[in-house]
Structure formats: C-alpha cells, structure tokens
Amino acid sequence: MKTVKIFLSEKDMPRKWYNLAADLPTSMLPPLGPDGKPISPEMLEKVFPMNLIEQEVSQKRWIDIPDEVLQLLTIIRPTPLRRAVFLEKYLDTPARIYYKDESVSPAGSHKSNTSIAQAWYNKKFGIKRLTTETGAGQWGSALAFACALVGLECKVFMVRISFEQKPLRKIMMQLWGAKCISSPSEETQAGRDILKKLPDTPGSLGIAISEAIEAAVSDTSGMTRYSLGSVLNHVLLHQTVIGLEAKKQIKMFGENKVDVVIGCAGGGSNFAGLSFPFIADKIHGKNIRIIAVESAAAPKMTRGKFSYDFGDTAEMTPLLPMMSLGHEFIPAPIHAGGLRYHGMAPLVSQAIVEGLVEPLAYDQVKTYEAAILWSKTEGAICAPETSHAIACVIDEAKKAKAEGKEKVILFNFSGHGLMDLVGYDKYLTGKLDSYSLPESELNKSMESFKGFPPAAKRKTGKW
Amino acid sequence: MKTVKIFLSEKDMPRKWYNLAADLPTSMLPPLGPDGKPISPEMLEKVFPMNLIEQEVSQKRWIDIPDEVLQLLTIIRPTPLRRAVFLEKYLDTPARIYYKDESVSPAGSHKSNTSIAQAWYNKKFGIKRLTTETGAGQWGSALAFACALVGLECKVFMVRISFEQKPLRKIMMQLWGAKCISSPSEETQAGRDILKKLPDTPGSLGIAISEAIEAAVSDTSGMTRYSLGSVLNHVLLHQTVIGLEAKKQIKMFGENKVDVVIGCAGGGSNFAGLSFPFIADKIHGKNIRIIAVESAAAPKMTRGKFSYDFGDTAEMTPLLPMMSLGHEFIPAPIHAGGLRYHGMAPLVSQAIVEGLVEPLAYDQVKTYEAAILWSKTEGAICAPETSHAIACVIDEAKKAKAEGKEKVILFNFSGHGLMDLVGYDKYLTGKLDSYSLPESELNKSMESFKGFPPAAKRKTGKW
C-alpha cells in the first residue's frame, strides 16, 4: 500500500516563523510615503498595532510564535502533506507529486494562518475590533473566524458584486459573529462619495480597502485597526509554517530533495508560505526550481513591471516596491478572484527580481481542465486559485514522463472550491471563457506608473 | 499546550470492518418479502451485487477490508480524533469532549466510507454503473466521488425540490462525472406516472428511491446496480472504521475509558460507525452510555414503533424490522435533511430494543444554537445533522459541571455545513422555526403499519 499522507503531531509544529527578508541577497527597498520618502513605523500606527508593525519591518531571520498563537493554530495545524498517487498513476509519470493540504480548516484555505496571528496580536495590543475588505470572501471569512476565536469584533467590507453573488460567504462571516457590509457603503466618507457618483457601481477591492482603512483610522476611541490578508511582509511571515511543516513531512516520506516547488500567486501569501523556506535553501546553494503561477488575466509577474506602486486604487497605502500592472488595473471577471490583484507582495517580487522565483501565467480554461482531472483522480475539489498550481504541476509531471526522469514536485493546495462551484458549472457546460490580458489594456493600465520612482534593477531574467 | 488532535498513520488503519450482528444478544430478524416470508439473498441480486449481499446477511464478527479498498480509503482516512478544548473552556466543564472529524473528505461527510467500498465491490463484480437517490445531496455526492475514483458511471435521482434549491450539490456530482437528474423524471415508469398525476410535485425520497431502483433493475444488460447510503447492514458495516480508529486514538490521548458516545441518527450510518465498536464493549460488560440523537421532527426512535416496515414510500423494498414512523410519514422541511427519514437501520433499532442505545430527540432551534456556539469556539461549521449530536454533547458537558464530575464524552462530527449555510442564515435572522411532530400527525402516519407483522418485543425501555 502506498503512503498517501503524512501527519505531523502538534508537538512538531514550527515554533518560529521564517523571515525571508533576512536571507535575500539584496536588502528590501523601504515603503515610501506620499512625499517619496521612506515611511517610519509610527506613520502606520493608526492602521496596524505596533507589535505587527515591528514584524513588518523586522530583519530577523526567525521570529518566535507565541504559545497562545500556537495553541490557537492547533485548530487548523499541522496540516497533512499528501502524495497524489492516484493522479501520478493516471498520468503514468515518474514524478512524485506532493502537496500541502491547506484546505482542511474551517474557513477553507491557508488564510487563517495569518488571520489567527493578526487577531491575536491585535487583541494583545488592546485593540477591540478589526476592519478588513474582502473580494470573493476567502479572507473575510478567515478573519471573521479568527476574531471569533480570540474575541474581537470584526467588520468586513465585501465588494458589492460578490456580496450579491456569493451570499454563502456572507453567512459564514455572520455566523462567526462578524458584520459583513456591502461596499461601497453609507458607513464611510469614501463609500458615500462613490455612491453619490456611481450609485450602481459593482464595487471594487480598491474601494473596499479605502472603506476598511477609513473605518479603522476614523474610530476616535483608538480601539480599531485594519487587517490585510496578503502582500505585506508580516502576512507572508505568518504563512511560512506551511513550508516549514512541509520540509519535515517530505523527509518523513523518505525524500531527501525537492526538485520543484509550485504555488499559485495572487497577492503572494500562500505561495510565500510554502516556498520561502525552500527559497532559503536555494539561496544557500540547493538546486530547486520555485514556480509562482499567476492568472493570464492579471499577469503582473510575467508582464508587469517591478516598480513602486500603490497597494490600492484610491492611493491610500504607502508606495510599495513590487511587480505590478499599475494600481488602476481593472481585472477581468475570472473565477479565481484571489488572483485578480494588480500587484505582487514586495518579498515575492524581490525574489523574482533576484532570479530565485520563476513566474508562469495560465489561462483559466486550462486550469479548470486540470482541476476536474484532479477531482476525478485525487477526489478533492480545489479552489479556482489552487487550480493554477495544479495545471502547472500536471505540466511538470508530463515533462518528467517525456524526459523519463524522476522528479519530486511539491505544491500548495491552498484551498477548497466548495464555495466556488459556479465556475466549475460554467466549465462543465462549455460557458467558461479564456482570458489573457490584451496588450492594449496592459499598456493603458501601466500608464498609472508615470512619475513613480523606479525600483531596484533586475539582476536576471528577461525584464 | 493542550493536545487538540491525534492523527493515526495509514499503517494503523483498521484492516477489518466490525459486524455488530455477531454480538447482539438477540439475533437479527430477517427482512421479509411481499408474502411475509424471509427473502433469500438471490431475490436481491438484480438490485445489489452478490458480494455486497453476502456482507448484508453475514453473521461474521470481522470482515476483511480488501487491500484495494484500503488504498482508496487513504484518500479520506484515517480521520483525526480531536478534543474540543476551546468549547470545554467556554463551558467551564470538567468533561473532556472528543470528536471524530469525519468532515475532512472531498464530499464532506462520513458517507464516503461506504460509497468507496460499495463502488469498489460493484466494480469488482463487473458492474458498469450505479444508480442511487439523494435528498439534500450528501449521499449523492459521496457516491459520485467514489464512482469517479473506481471508474463507474453514476446516476443520481435527486429530489426535485433539493435539485432546485441546492444547485451546488448538483454541480459537485457533475464535476465528479455523475449524471444528476431531478426526480420525478421522465426516465422511469415510476417517474412518468407521478409526473402525469402530480406535475408540480416537489418530489420525495420515496419517489427517488423508486426511480433509482427501477433504473437499476430495468437495465437489460444486467450491468447496473443500485446503491444505498444508510440503513442496510453492509452500509453500517463499512462505517465501523470510524469507531475502530477512535478507539485507538482516544487511548493515545491518554484516556482509558469513555463514558458517553454520542451520534446523530437519520438512517443510522454515522451513528453506527462510531458507536458499534463501543456497543460491543458495552455488551461485554463496560459501563458506557450510547446516545443516538434524532430530530424532534422525525422521532422514530423516541416515539415510533419497532415493527416490520418498508424502507420506501412506494413499498418496493423488502419489509425491514425497524423503529419507524410508518413508511407514509411525510417529514417537516427541517434543515437536517439527513434526519428526515421515517425509519431507523435494523441494527440500530435492534440495539435500542436491547437497551444498548438510548435515543433522544432535539428540536432544530436548539441544535442551531449549539452549532453556532461550536463555530465560535471550535471554529468548524457543522452540518445541520451533526448539530444534533453537538447539542446533546453540550447538555452532557453541562451536566458534568453541575455534578462536578469528570466525564469523557466522544461524538461523531459527521459532516461540515458548508453546503447548508441557508439554515444558519435563517437562525441568525430569527426565521428558523421549532418543529416537534404533533401527536395527530404521528398517529396518522402510524396507520400505515396496519396489517404488518409485529417485530421482536422490546426487552427494556418504555415502549
């Protein structure tokens, strides 16, 4: 009988998070304020609690996970490392395919690794409530779940079109006690302004971010902060438990090396979570390919620019050094909502610039094809984001077969697709469209970079 | 740090299923044919493959799990045994609450334990396709999933009202390759007859069963069989891996006894899966309470009658000796669709008659209250069926506190509620009704027993 999964016991959970910033060959560029000068930590303290800001700017390689966070993480961790023996058999490939199953948690994805940590640090700092935005709802539900566990109020601004099209995600948040509001809303100045101008707008993540930040910083009690589910350094940091666990587990499978690490990448957090501990190995000389898979509809890594850019449409965030399509980019309505963001986390962007990470873009029709094959062989129904990683895994496994070479592939099964079945229905009924960003739209979107300082120069690659 | 969960490794999976029939103090009554005489195995062979019929009538205590079934089961097993430390803390109870988490599988419940086994045995027997019925969709998706794994065609007759109200379950089945049809349909004589008489009927499980059986037995190629997701002996047998694993795991938690075992019970399969190995201990002298929790809206165990009755409304099945409300019982539209069945599995019914199992009925408003408390402390969102077990667990834990006594409680977390969030929404918005079966309806439904032979006499209890 082939071993299909390896569990870790709770006592073998990582006790520290890994900070890639400490190991990157070039040190990270600082975020800039509206004046083009590096911002100080104090400038963020109305938005985030100081204990998280310290993590955001930390250069320490290892950061302790507090015992109470560790206890809360036992609700969702350790997650199993699984081997896709049934898919391997179907593909008749000499590749061995392993995946970290981050879907087995109440909110259904890796997002809770950071929502639990962020909720706990905010609570510790004396904060009473958190605000955030959510698109498709993965992050909003993960934060609602975490706030229920630690005892914080939670308000989620959900993009109006998703609020209406995905009522189930809203119910999830509400049953964990969060308030979920359609954005734009009457609750903030930003929301009211937009509603006056565009009463029928479907909303956007950009608007929802503006509302969530405003709702946090405008609370005069000082007891409210804002929480972000990807992109920032401390968010990626919290996700590194994924890769740290995977390293132990893949050894327990008897593997002494990994050839390829693959993750889908929207803002970068699940990809970073699995890959950063392996990128560390690569920096220290190991021969590993690290592939980040994005959507061809939002190809910031393969066709964007490494530059300073805003994290949101409304230009409320600091300028971050990142691969971006420009913060005015309007993504096509692909089903992988988590891959529609215009930018890539600074840490991941920097790793691409350094030549440590190889980006690839996939079209959604191909990724659904991969997801269906996965479901019929391995059983599980993956999130539309995760399907991008799976499509790449299948290509790598086929290559291994063509070359007649053994290969150890590891990828992140970042979430299940049970709340996103409508995309599958479209695929099965032949109604799903391909979508690759046209050159004209790319050029138009990139205009929003005008006047921004260029970021670091790439050392390698084709940019 | 408190241990929250114990995993088993795949090599520690049970290699045999446990058959309670071998240990029950009184031997089981046989199913009867339309003539009132015991049916022979051969009379079932157009409906089920002979290898499963052999299991159905087996008196052997242990039945080997074939290696190939074991390998397929690794997709979903072993499941974790978890301790509800956060709920315990909230309740401030001296009770220790453990639960077997059967929700962590692609189809989301314990149902796949038998769907995988049944699909494999049918395939082994040379069968090409399976038919079944489904109400809310849990069973239909579990069978679709299993058929995808072993390579069988699958046709699911889904009760029309659910087919329309729960389109997501239908998509799940379709993406695993199954054909999901609204019942009543034009595909069977039974369906056409009903449609002529009642074109606007919402459908019923009774009609869907008739259609699924007809579709199987009327295939002249002989290559189609029917599959049932609960009630029958072989179905319950396949579920006993739950309790067998739990026994090993609870020892690994350091517990040397279990005081109370709790499961919700609709047709009886998840309850049997966890409890039968513990009922064996009880028969052999251990002091354990075993509680089966049903819905107050379909109280066959607490207010029904132990008698011979049909498994379906249309009287197509053999007569089974079971606790029943009468096969013409029309259940109220409670959200726990899996608890609406009119009868209880013969093996569970017999265990009640013997005084080995204690039945309790809960109203759905109380169970949703329990489910919400669960979500806010333990995180996971449970299925509406599972919430019945949780409500009882909370009562038991409160009793332990009132008595100031330590108590080890074990229950079955039979499935997640991600496909059933609408009931939560109703509860949260104050629109969920209590529903306890009125005496008048009970009496009316019980009239359908007239003329059936009485079954065994109860030795104990209040009937």
Side-chain angles (χ1 to χ4, degrees):
Chain A
M1 198 172 81
K2 280 192 179 170
T3 301
V4 162
K5 58 196 165 312
I6 296 276
F7 296 114
L8 278 185
S9 74
E10 288 166 2
K11 66 175 173 37
D12 294 323
M13 285 170 75
R15 303 284 164 143
K16 295 171 194 292
W17 289 300
Y18 168 67
N19 184 6
L20 181 68
D23 281 321
L24 279 175
T26 315
S27 63
M28 292 288 291
L29 294 162
L32 305 180
D35 55 0
K37 288 183 186 157
I39 55 165
S40 67
E42 290 69 30
M43 291 170 78
L44 292 171
E45 69 186 339
K46 284 190 79 174
V47 182
F48 300 110
M50 196 45 84
N51 48 17
L52 286 177
I53 295 171
E54 280 163 16
Q55 288 188 353
E56 183 63 22
V57 300
S58 174
Q59 295 295 314
K60 277 178 65 183
R61 179 170 290 112
W62 295 100
I63 294 174
D64 288 335
I65 305 175
D67 286 348
E68 286 179 32
V69 174
L70 211 58
Q71 179 74 74
L72 287 166
L73 284 176
T74 58
I75 293 182
I76 57 168
R77 309 205 68 79
T79 61
L81 183 75
R82 302 181 62 122
R83 182 171 165 200
V85 295
F86 302 96
L87 177 66
E88 289 171 17
K89 193 175 162 192
Y90 177 88
L91 295 174
D92 187 26
T93 174
R96 293 190 292 283
I97 302 170
Y98 297 91
Y99 60 107
K100 193 68 172 151
D101 188 359
E102 293 294 306
S103 74
V104 288
S105 72
S109 80
H110 68 289
K111 291 283 184 194
S112 306
N113 295 324
T114 185
S115 69
I116 286 175
Q118 289 190 49
W120 185 87
Y121 277 106
N122 273 283
K123 178 86 174 180
K124 190 79 181 166
F125 197 70
I127 299 306
K128 300 277 182 234
R129 68 193 69 80
L130 287 177
T131 66
T132 198
E133 73 291 328
T134 200
Q138 282 277 16
W139 168 245
S141 13
L143 192 65
F145 158 69
C147 285
L149 297 183
V150 307
L152 284 178
E153 290 173 38
C154 179
K155 188 179 276 186
V156 181
F157 292 87
M158 186 170 186
V159 175
R160 187 195 269 178
I161 181 88
S162 297
F163 185 87
E164 285 161 9
Q165 284 177 351
K166 304 207 170 192
L168 299 184
R169 279 281 176 195
K170 179 181 61 188
I171 301 171
M172 279 178 91
M173 295 179 228
Q174 286 169 338
L175 82 84
W176 278 313
K179 209 168 157 190
C180 177
I181 296 156
S182 176
S183 166
S185 76
E186 292 287 348
E187 298 212 359
T188 66
Q189 195 56 49
R192 289 188 293 270
D193 287 350
I194 293 277
L195 283 174
K196 204 179 282 174
K197 242 191 300 183
L198 302 166
D200 297 324
T201 177
S204 76
L205 214 45
I207 298 166
I209 294 178
S210 307
E211 287 209 277
I213 295 179
E214 182 187 327
V217 301
S218 65
D219 175 8
T220 49
S221 75
M223 290 297 155
T224 305
R225 291 292 182 279
Y226 166 74
S227 174
L228 192 66
S230 190
V231 178
L232 297 179
N233 301 347
H234 69 279
V235 182
L236 275 52
L237 178 80
H238 299 154
Q239 294 293 352
T240 56
V241 288
I242 303 172
L244 295 169
E245 285 181 11
K247 276 191 158 185
K248 292 188 188 181
Q249 288 164 304
I250 204 147
K251 272 190 200 148
M252 293 161 77
F253 261 111
E255 302 290 357
N256 52 29
K257 69 175 179 81
V258 175
D259 297 300
V260 196
V261 174
I262 297 169
C264 63
S269 80
N270 97 77
F271 168 75
L274 178 67
S275 69
F276 280 8
F278 292 92
I279 293 181
D281 291 347
K282 184 165 177 153
I283 291 170
H284 296 105
K286 276 208 182 162
N287 183 20
I288 308 178
R289 284 177 67 206
I290 316 269
I291 303 175
V293 187
E294 66 186 3
S295 164
K300 56 249 185 179
M301 298 185 292
T302 54
R303 297 168 66 199
K305 189 163 141 181
F306 184 58
S307 171
Y308 272 107
D309 196 9
F310 289 106
D312 69 323
T313 319
E315 307 190 353
M316 290 183 73
T317 72
L319 284 159
L320 301 170
M322 59 182 183
M323 313 288 314
S324 174
L325 295 164
H327 61 283
E328 287 172 9
F329 175 69
I330 297 161
I334 54 163
H335 285 277
L339 304 186
R340 295 172 74 226
Y341 190 64
H342 68 276
M344 179 46 59
L347 276 168
V348 175
S349 296
Q350 181 76 22
I352 295 171
V353 169
E354 306 273 0
L356 296 164
V357 170
E358 190 178 323
L360 285 177
Y362 275 74
D363 175 77
Q364 70 174 357
V365 171
K366 181 164 179 175
T367 69
Y368 271 98
E369 202 177 281
I372 297 273
L373 173 58
W374 181 270
S375 299
K376 288 190 176 173
T377 52
E378 291 294 314
I381 299 171
C382 70
E385 293 81 8
T386 311
S387 71
H388 288 67
I390 293 175
C392 179
V393 166
I394 291 172
D395 280 350
E396 286 296 320
K398 284 181 178 169
K399 252 190 264 173
K401 186 182 179 185
E403 293 165 3
K405 266 193 214 162
E406 282 199 18
K407 192 193 294 191
V408 176
I409 301 171
L410 170 66
F411 81 97
N412 201 14
F413 192 92
S414 53
H416 65 64
L418 297 182
M419 315 301 285
D420 305 280
L421 289 167
V422 174
Y424 282 98
D425 194 39
K426 282 207 179 151
Y427 176 83
L428 291 167
T429 54
K431 289 178 198 146
L432 191 80
D433 293 324
S434 284
Y435 194 88
S436 186
L437 184 67
E439 203 62 23
S440 57
E441 282 187 36
L442 175 67
N443 293 338
K444 189 167 158 247
S445 171
M446 303 280 260
E447 284 172 18
S448 61
F449 284 120
K450 266 183 205 154
F452 292 157
K457 285 203 180 116
R458 280 184 65 82
K459 285 189 182 158
T460 54
K462 56 181 175 166
W463 287 264
Chain B
M1 198 172 81
K2 280 191 178 171
T3 301
V4 163
K5 57 195 165 314
I6 296 277
F7 296 113
L8 277 185
S9 73
E10 288 166 1
K11 65 175 174 35
D12 294 321
M13 285 170 75
R15 304 283 163 146
K16 294 170 195 294
W17 289 300
Y18 169 67
N19 184 5
L20 181 66
D23 281 321
L24 279 175
T26 315
S27 64
M28 293 287 291
L29 294 163
L32 305 181
D35 55 359
K37 289 185 187 157
I39 55 165
S40 67
E42 291 68 31
M43 290 169 78
L44 292 171
E45 70 185 341
K46 284 190 80 173
V47 182
F48 300 111
M50 197 46 84
N51 48 16
L52 285 177
I53 295 171
E54 280 163 16
Q55 288 187 354
E56 182 64 21
V57 300
S58 174
Q59 295 295 313
K60 277 178 64 182
R61 180 169 289 114
W62 295 101
I63 294 174
D64 287 335
I65 304 176
D67 285 348
E68 287 180 32
V69 173
L70 212 58
Q71 179 75 74
L72 288 166
L73 284 176
T74 58
I75 293 182
I76 56 168
R77 309 205 69 79
T79 62
L81 183 74
R82 301 182 63 123
R83 181 170 165 200
V85 296
F86 302 97
L87 177 66
E88 288 172 16
K89 193 175 163 194
Y90 177 88
L91 295 174
D92 186 27
T93 175
R96 294 190 293 283
I97 302 169
Y98 297 92
Y99 61 105
K100 194 66 171 152
D101 188 0
E102 293 294 307
S103 74
V104 288
S105 72
S109 80
H110 67 289
K111 291 284 184 194
S112 306
N113 295 323
T114 186
S115 69
I116 286 175
Q118 289 190 49
W120 185 87
Y121 277 105
N122 272 283
K123 178 87 175 179
K124 192 78 182 168
F125 197 70
I127 298 306
K128 300 274 183 239
R129 68 194 69 81
L130 287 177
T131 66
T132 198
E133 73 291 329
T134 200
Q138 282 277 17
W139 169 244
S141 13
L143 192 66
F145 158 69
C147 286
L149 297 183
V150 307
L152 284 179
E153 290 174 39
C154 179
K155 188 179 278 187
V156 181
F157 291 87
M158 187 170 186
V159 175
R160 188 197 268 176
I161 180 87
S162 297
F163 186 87
E164 284 161 8
Q165 285 177 351
K166 304 207 171 192
L168 299 183
R169 279 282 176 194
K170 178 182 62 188
I171 301 171
M172 280 177 91
M173 295 179 228
Q174 286 169 338
L175 84 82
W176 278 313
K179 208 170 160 191
C180 177
I181 295 155
S182 176
S183 165
S185 76
E186 293 286 347
E187 298 212 359
T188 65
Q189 194 56 49
R192 288 188 293 270
D193 288 349
I194 292 278
L195 283 174
K196 205 179 281 174
K197 242 192 300 182
L198 301 166
D200 297 325
T201 176
S204 75
L205 214 46
I207 298 166
I209 294 178
S210 307
E211 288 210 277
I213 296 179
E214 182 186 327
V217 301
S218 65
D219 175 9
T220 49
S221 75
M223 290 297 158
T224 305
R225 291 293 182 279
Y226 167 73
S227 174
L228 192 66
S230 190
V231 179
L232 298 180
N233 301 346
H234 69 278
V235 182
L236 276 52
L237 178 81
H238 299 154
Q239 294 292 353
T240 55
V241 288
I242 303 172
L244 295 168
E245 285 181 10
K247 276 191 159 186
K248 292 187 187 179
Q249 288 164 304
I250 204 147
K251 273 190 200 149
M252 293 162 77
F253 260 111
E255 302 290 357
N256 52 28
K257 69 174 177 81
V258 176
D259 297 299
V260 196
V261 175
I262 297 169
C264 64
S269 80
N270 97 78
F271 168 76
L274 178 66
S275 69
F276 280 8
F278 292 92
I279 294 181
D281 291 347
K282 184 166 177 150
I283 291 170
H284 296 105
K286 277 208 182 163
N287 183 22
I288 309 177
R289 284 178 66 206
I290 316 268
I291 303 175
V293 188
E294 66 186 3
S295 164
K300 55 249 186 179
M301 296 186 292
T302 53
R303 296 168 66 198
K305 188 163 142 181
F306 184 58
S307 171
Y308 271 108
D309 196 9
F310 289 106
D312 69 323
T313 318
E315 308 191 353
M316 289 184 74
T317 70
L319 283 158
L320 300 170
M322 59 183 183
M323 312 287 315
S324 175
L325 295 163
H327 61 284
E328 287 172 8
F329 175 68
I330 298 162
I334 54 163
H335 284 277
L339 304 186
R340 295 172 74 227
Y341 190 64
H342 68 276
M344 179 46 59
L347 275 167
V348 175
S349 296
Q350 180 77 20
I352 295 171
V353 170
E354 306 272 1
L356 296 164
V357 170
E358 191 177 322
L360 285 177
Y362 275 74
D363 175 77
Q364 70 173 358
V365 171
K366 182 165 179 175
T367 69
Y368 271 98
E369 202 177 283
I372 297 274
L373 174 58
W374 181 270
S375 300
K376 287 191 175 171
T377 52
E378 291 293 314
I381 298 171
C382 69
E385 293 81 7
T386 311
S387 71
H388 288 68
I390 293 175
C392 179
V393 165
I394 291 173
D395 281 349
E396 286 295 320
K398 285 181 178 168
K399 252 189 264 174
K401 186 183 178 185
E403 294 165 2
K405 266 193 214 162
E406 282 200 17
K407 193 193 293 191
V408 176
I409 302 171
L410 170 66
F411 81 97
N412 201 15
F413 192 91
S414 52
H416 66 63
L418 297 182
M419 315 301 284
D420 304 280
L421 289 167
V422 174
Y424 281 98
D425 193 39
K426 282 207 178 151
Y427 175 83
L428 291 168
T429 53
K431 289 178 198 143
L432 190 80
D433 294 322
S434 283
Y435 194 88
S436 186
L437 183 68
E439 204 62 23
S440 57
E441 282 188 36
L442 175 67
N443 292 338
K444 190 168 158 246
S445 171
M446 301 281 260
E447 283 172 18
S448 62
F449 283 121
K450 267 183 206 155
F452 292 160
K457 287 210 178 108
R458 279 183 66 82
K459 284 191 183 159
T460 54
K462 56 182 176 164
W463 287 265

